[in-house]
């Protein structure tokens, strides 16, 4: 089975891109599955079910989305293999723009929205920096000049990534994405593979349920600002 990981900020158009990509691939019905990782809630399963794409949903709740992803991705792969899929796509919302659910040797795509501002690529961390392909959505709504500046800022962060502009409504651009994914690695497990970047580190009193504010209540791994006088 082939595995593709897709990440991006909320509402950047990840689900629309995935559905159009599945249409473009023209693989037999039931040969592609999707695992959606999110934090609190999502209705994207309705879109996948309407397209007759098998989908599993997972919500991290108060757990870090990256840690949740890493803890469950091998089980997701085994679900895909047991289901007989030829391709499994994971979708993960990088809610803090720090998330980096990418694995060495596994095709990794970052989806970002051209309407989010021309400087957005410089504000996104490993989720953009370590992607193989950066998909830009909603580029049809902005000018050519804005698209070029946006692409330039992507290159300032990730020089090696391929940049593809995709229209999530018409599917324009998904042919190129499908072409780049043609030689994706086939796997039967990802056990002992490594993430491309470390997950966010935070083991503190607030992680374990503390709600009181103030230094006496702060324990564990904390990062403090220095205020100049």
């Amino acid at each position: 089975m082939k595995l593709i990981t897709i990440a991006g900020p909320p509402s950047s158009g990840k689900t629309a891109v995935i559905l159009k990509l599945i249409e473009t691939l023209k693989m037999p019905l039931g040969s592609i599955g999707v695992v959606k990782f999110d934090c609190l809630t999502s209705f994207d399963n309705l879109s996948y079910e309407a397209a007759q794409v098998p989908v599993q949903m997972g919500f991290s709740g108060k757990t870090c989305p990256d840690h949740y992803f890493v803890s469950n991705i091998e089980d997701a792969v085994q679900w895909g293999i047991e289901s007989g899929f030829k391709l499994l796509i994971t979708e993960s919302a990088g809610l803090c723009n720090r998330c980096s659910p990418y694995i060495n040797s596994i095709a990794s795509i970052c989806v970002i929205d051209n309407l989010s501002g021309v400087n957005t690529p410089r504000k996104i961390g490993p989720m953009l920096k370590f992607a193989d392909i950066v998909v830009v959505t909603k580029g049809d709504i902005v000018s050519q000049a804005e698209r070029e500046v946006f692409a330039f800022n992507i290159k300032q962060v990730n020089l090696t990534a391929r940049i593809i502009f995709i229209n999530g409504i018409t599917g324009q651009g998904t042919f190129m994405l499908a072409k780049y994914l043609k030689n994706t690695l086939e796997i039967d497990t990802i056990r002992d593979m490594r993430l491309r970047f470390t997950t966010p580190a935070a083991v503190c009193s607030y992680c374990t349920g503390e709600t009181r504010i103030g230094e006496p209540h702060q324990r564990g791994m904390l990062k403090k600002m220095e205020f100049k006088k």
Side-chain angles (χ1 to χ4, degrees), residues 185-200:
L185 178 70
E186 290 196 1
I187 59 167
D188 55 21
T189 182
I190 56 170
R191 185 174 285 111
D192 295 328
M193 286 189 177
R194 292 181 178 271
L195 293 173
R196 299 189 184 187
F197 197 77
T198 58
T199 57

Side-chain angles (χ1 to χ4, degrees), residues 1-223:
M1 184 185 72
K2 295 184 176 183
L3 174 65
I4 297 171
T5 57
I6 296 180
S11 301
S12 56
K14 298 183 296 297
T15 300
V17 168
I18 291 171
L19 288 169
K20 289 300 180 182
L21 173 63
I22 290 173
E23 284 184 20
T24 302
L25 290 171
K26 291 184 169 56
M27 293 174 65
L29 198 65
S31 62
I32 300 177
V34 173
V35 178
K36 167 87 175 187
F37 294 98
D38 217 320
C39 277
L40 296 176
T41 186
S42 175
F43 300 98
D44 290 340
N45 60 305
L46 301 178
S47 299
Y48 288 121
E49 290 167 3
Q52 296 182 287
V53 177
V55 60
Q56 293 280 350
M57 307 284 289
F59 302 105
S60 62
K62 64 180 181 180
T63 307
C64 166
D66 262 11
H67 291 225
Y68 185 71
F69 173 88
V70 178
S71 300
N72 290 280
I73 184 60
E74 171 63 12
D75 292 334
V77 168
Q78 293 309 312
W79 169 72
I81 291 173
E82 291 168 6
S83 300
F85 300 146
K86 298 296 183 184
L87 172 64
L88 180 68
I89 301 174
T90 67
E91 178 184 348
S92 177
L95 299 173
C96 62
N97 284 344
R98 162 62 174 76
C99 299
S100 53
Y102 301 140
I103 304 166
N104 286 333
S105 303
I106 301 298
S108 303
I109 302 168
C110 178
V111 179
I112 52 177
D113 176 358
N114 212 151
L115 291 178
S116 60
V118 293
N119 292 318
T120 296
R122 296 172 181 263
K123 300 176 181 179
I124 299 178
M127 184 172 62
L128 175 60
K129 183 177 178 63
F130 291 94
D132 298 315
I133 300 171
V134 178
V135 168
V136 182
T137 57
K138 304 174 188 176
D140 56 308
I141 302 176
V142 301
S143 67
Q144 177 63 26
E146 288 177 285
R147 287 195 294 272
E148 290 178 5
V149 172
F150 201 79
F152 174 81
N153 284 337
I154 291 173
K155 286 295 185 183
Q156 292 295 102
V157 177
N158 188 335
L159 185 61
T160 61
R162 298 181 184 274
I163 301 174
I164 305 175
F165 285 83
I166 289 182
N167 187 317
I169 297 175
T170 65
Q172 183 179 6
T174 51
F175 175 81
M176 290 302 298
L177 179 59
K179 180 180 177 182
Y180 290 140
L181 295 172
K182 185 177 181 181
N183 297 321
T184 301
L185 178 70
E186 290 196 1
I187 59 167
D188 55 21
T189 182
I190 56 170
R191 185 174 285 111
D192 295 328
M193 286 189 177
R194 292 181 178 271
L195 293 173
R196 299 189 184 187
F197 197 77
T198 58
T199 57
V203 181
C204 69
S205 51
Y206 297 111
C207 293
T208 57
E210 179 62 76
T211 58
R212 293 173 294 178
I213 298 171
E215 191 169 334
H217 311 297
Q218 298 173 351
R219 298 288 186 274
M221 186 179 293
L222 297 162
K223 187 173 183 180

